[in-house]
Amino acid sequence: MSHAAPQPARDPVASGVEPESADVLFHRLNNLLGVVLVNAELLEAKAPDAAAQARAGQVVASVLDALATARALRQRMGS
């Protein structure tokens, strides 16, 4: 399976493009974390052994923590 290489993040200041609002950035972050979460949950459910299931479970827990942190940041920023 071939995947395209990730594109480097564009620098809105250097490119002269308006920076994205915090709401847009939080929305994008939640979308990306959601993709990671779904795939980690799938890996956890289909893990061939307990060790692999535990590692996938750690990823799931970390993503849930990241989502909670993003939510708390958004609330503190008043977005």
Side-chain angles (χ1 to χ4, degrees), residues 6 11 29 32 42 61 67:
D11 181 358
L29 178 60
L32 293 169
L42 183 62
L67 284 165

Side-chain angles (χ1 to χ4, degrees), residues 48-76:
D49 56 49
Q53 187 176 19
R55 285 191 303 271
Q58 289 174 333
V59 175
V60 169
S62 296
V63 173
L64 291 172
D65 185 46
L67 284 165
T69 301
R71 191 176 310 117
L73 267 172
R74 187 174 188 180
Q75 289 171 349
R76 284 190 182 184

Side-chain angles (χ1 to χ4, degrees), residues 3-76:
H3 295 282
Q7 297 297 314
R10 63 184 164 93
D11 181 358
V13 175
S15 64
V17 175
E18 283 293 316
E20 295 176 285
S21 73
D23 284 338
V24 172
L25 291 173
F26 281 118
H27 182 74
R28 289 179 59 203
L29 178 60
N30 281 331
N31 285 346
L32 293 169
L33 288 171
V35 170
V36 175
L37 179 60
V38 166
N39 282 288
E41 289 174 335
L42 183 62
L43 283 172
E44 185 179 30
K46 295 185 178 253
D49 56 49
Q53 187 176 19
R55 285 191 303 271
Q58 289 174 333
V59 175
V60 169
S62 296
V63 173
L64 291 172
D65 185 46
L67 284 165
T69 301
R71 191 176 310 117
L73 267 172
R74 187 174 188 180
Q75 289 171 349
R76 284 190 182 184

